[in-house]
Amino acid sequence: MYTQAMDTMGKEASDDGKKKVVQSADDMRLQERFDVHIDAGEFIEAKDWMPDHYRKTLVRQISQHAHSEIVGMLPEGNWISRAPTLKRKAILLAKVQDEGGHGLYLYAAAETLGTSRDQMFDALHTGKAKYSSIFNYPTLTWADMGTIGWLVDGAAIMNQVPICRCSYAPYARAMIRICREESFHQRQGYESLLTMMKNGTDAQKEMVQDAVNRWWWPSIMMFGPPDDQSPNSAQSMRWGIKRISNDELRQKFIDATVEQARILGVTLPDPKLKWNEEREAHDFGPIDWSEFWRVIAGDGPCNRERLATRVKAWEDGAWVREAALAHARKEHVKEAA
Amino acid sequence: MTTGAKEEWPLWEVFIRSKAGLDHKHCGSLHATDAKMAIQMARDVYTRRQEGSSIWVVPSSQIVANDPGDKDMYFDPAEDKVYRHPTFYELPPAVDHM
């Protein structure tokens, strides 16, 4: 899964860019060296010098990406006990476990920048940190599982592959691992839908179409707002954190998905969607960005429920975390004695 | 919320040998209360697809590293010692596979 272009969310990002006026000669020299490294396409490692703003941008993006993986377990976890067969249940379990793992890779990558796991959890649990808006939509039927795999994970992969070349190496390494695992997510989703469309009853086919209708627009919103409304994109591009623009990725995703929808036998819910010979790409209808901003701001169909579930899981687990630590200390004392 | 005990589990670095005959390679880190738990968690987090046949974990605080600021001073002296590489030596074609 993925968190959409996080440059949409950090209002303070542009502010602290402006704040920085006075630089010492040392800092300027380090900054110059840093710029040369970036321009040469070289990686930045955890202990290397980096500008504050670069560090902050990465902490925000990586932690929000991690939060998205963790919250992303909730809409799917919902269906584990209701999967139609043992095979589908095992697949879904493996997928949800992957999302948990992806969250952990990413939290660890963010920690290399000097933030702590508790700080990040705290930001998530108090609502200070954002996560991908897509997880604030409900999963109403079994077809939502397949559709999330096909469209949501499909959009995620499109978004994530360029981050494997992110200039911050620990993030890039985590992304390589994630991308390798993610393609199973999309394929299992598509195959699950294909099974219903080929062998299913009319009601099941309608269920698939209904799921596609509900997930299509939120999926293409995952690429973030249009380029001309992404004020921090340019800086992220300059730093090699972001490699391909929101609009370009969105177009690529739409072009790839149209053929997949045709083979599946479903209609994408956009009457304006059609091939443009001249552009050699699909034209598509206007995206309702007011919905996107509303969901980001906390007013989507499931924001409160998701956060409450996550906070409850964290609080219910507190005694386990404390007991494990106490046990380890006791053992340590015993060993020393 | 048990806010009083906001204490993080220690951080561990994880090294995995993907199969017999290869080196253990650093693959990431995780939090665990002790070594046994770190190994168990490393298995779940880093080897869900048979990526490993052996796991090492080391407390992150125990890793000692050179100062990245001294990188150039430390590693550049090897740069001009091209004679340490076999390709530096030109031999007649008949014996060049040496």
Side-chain angles (χ1 to χ4, degrees), chain A residues 33 47 97-98 105 111 116-118 122 177 181 184 315 318 321-322 324 328-329, chain B residues 1-2 5-9 27 29 31 33 37 45-46 48-49 51 68 71-72:
Chain A
R33 271 182 64 163
K47 305 282 183 213
Q97 194 190 11
D98 271 358
Y105 307 153
E111 283 170 78
S116 77
R117 190 76 58 104
D118 277 350
D122 201 54
R177 192 173 278 278
E181 296 178 355
F184 132 69
E315 289 181 357
R321 292 192 299 276
E322 287 161 24
R329 286 197 178 131
Chain B
M1 198 198 281
T2 41
K6 269 214 162 181
E7 214 174 341
E8 282 193 357
W9 289 358
C27 71
S29 44
H31 291 271
T33 55
M37 187 198 264
V45 177
Y46 291 106
R48 287 193 302 280
R49 288 176 176 77
E51 292 95 334
K71 199 163 55 186
D72 299 347

Side-chain angles (χ1 to χ4, degrees), chain A residues 14-273:
Chain A
S14 44
D15 293 344
D16 41 64
K18 281 172 208 148
K19 245 189 292 174
K20 187 97 184 165
V21 261
V22 191
Q23 262 191 334
S24 72
D26 261 1
D27 276 354
M28 277 171 73
R29 190 177 51 81
L30 289 164
Q31 172 84 51
E32 258 168 45
R33 271 182 64 163
F34 176 85
D35 289 343
V36 168
H37 271 300
I38 294 281
D39 291 342
E42 281 167 29
F43 286 110
I44 305 299
E45 290 286 353
K47 305 282 183 213
D48 293 340
W49 185 90
M50 61 189 87
D52 278 351
H53 189 193
Y54 177 84
R55 186 185 297 273
K56 272 190 198 158
T57 301
L58 279 165
V59 167
R60 183 188 307 108
Q61 180 169 334
I62 301 172
S63 64
Q64 293 183 345
H65 194 164
H67 298 329
S68 302
E69 302 283 354
I70 298 301
V71 176
M73 292 196 282
L74 300 174
E76 292 183 306
N78 199 25
W79 280 91
I80 291 174
S81 60
R82 275 167 275 182
T85 64
L86 190 56
K87 175 182 133 187
R88 293 291 172 195
K89 184 172 179 160
I91 293 171
L92 189 57
L93 264 171
K95 181 174 190 292
V96 173
Q97 194 190 11
D98 271 358
E99 311 297 2
H102 297 175
L104 295 177
Y105 307 153
L106 290 163
Y107 281 128
E111 283 170 78
T112 63
L113 289 158
T115 181
S116 77
R117 190 76 58 104
D118 277 350
Q119 276 175 321
M120 289 187 275
F121 280 161
D122 201 54
L124 173 65
H125 297 160
T126 56
K128 251 191 335 200
K130 305 289 185 198
Y131 55 85
S132 183
S133 58
I134 196 84
F135 305 120
N136 290 318
Y137 291 87
T139 44
L140 303 178
T141 69
W142 171 250
D144 286 29
M145 292 304 97
T147 309
I148 285 179
W150 173 38
L151 296 179
V152 175
D153 288 284
I157 293 168
M158 204 63 97
N159 253 326
Q160 288 178 146
V161 167
I163 310 178
C164 295
R165 292 183 289 122
C166 171
S167 62
Y168 188 59
Y171 190 25
R173 286 194 286 266
M175 289 316 304
I176 289 170
R177 192 173 278 278
I178 289 173
C179 286
R180 206 159 41 203
E181 296 178 355
E182 198 93 39
S183 93
F184 132 69
H185 296 184
Q186 189 184 19
R187 290 175 69 97
Q188 66 81 32
Y190 190 82
E191 193 240 20
S192 155
L193 297 179
L194 201 59
T195 305
M196 285 189 269
M197 293 305 288
K198 281 214 168 129
N199 310 325
T201 62
D202 285 348
Q204 285 167 329
K205 289 177 193 170
E206 273 168 39
M207 183 171 77
V208 173
Q209 181 62 59
D210 169 66
V212 171
N213 291 348
R214 282 182 289 110
W215 288 97
W216 172 249
W217 291 102
S219 296
I220 63 172
M221 287 179 198
M222 282 175 71
F223 296 94
D227 295 345
D228 54 14
Q229 290 165 44
S230 309
N232 298 322
S233 266
Q235 180 64 77
S236 280
M237 290 268 201
R238 168 71 186 79
W239 276 335
I241 295 174
K242 194 178 173 66
R243 299 287 186 186
I244 305 180
S245 85
N246 297 355
D247 285 333
E248 212 180 321
L249 286 168
R250 183 168 16 248
Q251 184 71 59
K252 237 174 109 179
F253 174 73
I254 291 171
D255 291 340
T257 308
V258 167
E259 174 67 1
Q260 294 162 359
R262 192 187 61 77
I263 290 170
L264 195 55
V266 296
T267 315
L268 297 173
D270 178 359
K272 296 217 163 89
L273 187 66

Side-chain angles (χ1 to χ4, degrees), chain A residues 277-335:
Chain A
E277 198 69 57
E278 215 173 294
R279 286 203 309 127
E280 296 198 329
H282 289 85
D283 290 337
F284 51 94
I287 296 171
D288 180 4
W289 291 110
S290 65
E291 175 181 325
F292 173 81
W293 291 115
R294 199 176 65 241
V295 178
I296 291 266
D299 215 11
C302 299
N303 295 54
R304 286 165 197 85
E305 187 193 327
R306 295 283 184 253
L307 202 57
T309 308
R310 171 62 206 158
V311 169
K312 183 177 185 306
W314 178 249
E315 289 181 357
D316 287 354
W319 73 271
V320 180
R321 292 192 299 276
E322 287 161 24
L325 202 56
H327 174 74
R329 286 197 178 131
K330 229 161 112 184
E331 292 296 305
H332 190 70
V333 172
K334 253 198 258 168
E335 264 171 46

